[in-house]
Amino acid sequence: MARWNEDDWPRNRWPNFSYRELVCKESGINGMNEDTMDRLQEVRTAYGRGLTISSGYRDVTHSIEAEKIEKHGRAGAHSTGRAVDLAVRGADAVRVLALALEAGFTGIGVKQAGEKRFIHLDDIQPEDDFHVPRPWIWSY
């Protein structure tokens, strides 16, 4: 897993995403996977508008990931740098979801009820052993 810092973040490769918006909010670490970021940039380029990251990388020490480890024996896709949550709703969420599937995202979580609406995107592969078939779509 890559561990990025502000100086080595490849701004030219992912011009629409900053180091800071993808950093773990609890540990300050940015361990985003390069392939995942390439897919995310592909979605953003095709979408043609800004995307708001509500959650990017989450270190295994992050409270959400620690809870997953306690409950399931393993952390989630965010802890591998292979997942992001995007604050998007309605028709925009449908458009982003379609673009994400075209870009090769294999895990799509949809929360489109209540105030905090988002879609989760990850590109976990079957060989990553997350115990679910891919592609996989679920709702929160």
Side-chain angles (χ1 to χ4, degrees), residues 43-61:
V43 170
R44 168 56 181 83
T45 300
Y47 185 53
R49 298 175 45 200
L51 292 169
T52 301
I53 307 288
S54 57
S55 185
Y57 178 73
R58 291 195 302 241
D59 191 60
V60 294
T61 61

Side-chain angles (χ1 to χ4, degrees), residues 2 6 8 20 29-30 51 53-54 56 64 69 80 92 95 97 101 106 110 113 138:
E6 194 103 38
D8 65 12
R20 286 267 161 226
I29 296 169
N30 183 329
L51 292 169
I53 307 288
S54 57
I64 292 173
I69 292 169
T80 65
D92 289 323
R95 176 78 176 126
L97 185 135
L101 288 169
T106 62
V110 180
W138 66 94

Side-chain angles (χ1 to χ4, degrees), residues 12-65:
N12 292 336
R13 185 171 176 181
W14 309 313
N16 298 108
F17 299 100
S18 72
Y19 166 84
R20 286 267 161 226
E21 70 185 314
L22 290 149
V23 73
C24 177
K25 291 174 174 71
E26 292 184 14
S27 72
I29 296 169
N30 183 329
M32 289 303 298
N33 178 278
E34 292 181 49
D35 294 334
T36 304
M37 286 304 304
D38 288 342
R39 284 184 176 91
L40 186 60
Q41 182 62 55
E42 183 180 335
V43 170
R44 168 56 181 83
T45 300
Y47 185 53
R49 298 175 45 200
L51 292 169
T52 301
I53 307 288
S54 57
S55 185
Y57 178 73
R58 291 195 302 241
D59 191 60
V60 294
T61 61
H62 188 285
S63 55
I64 292 173
E65 298 304 319

Side-chain angles (χ1 to χ4, degrees), residues 71-109:
K71 190 174 183 178
H72 304 291
R74 67 186 188 317
H78 285 271
S79 71
T80 65
R82 300 199 76 121
V84 295
D85 294 342
L86 303 174
V88 62
R89 58 178 53 220
D92 289 323
V94 173
R95 176 78 176 126
V96 169
L97 185 135
L99 294 169
L101 288 169
E102 289 175 21
F105 282 98
T106 62
I108 312 259

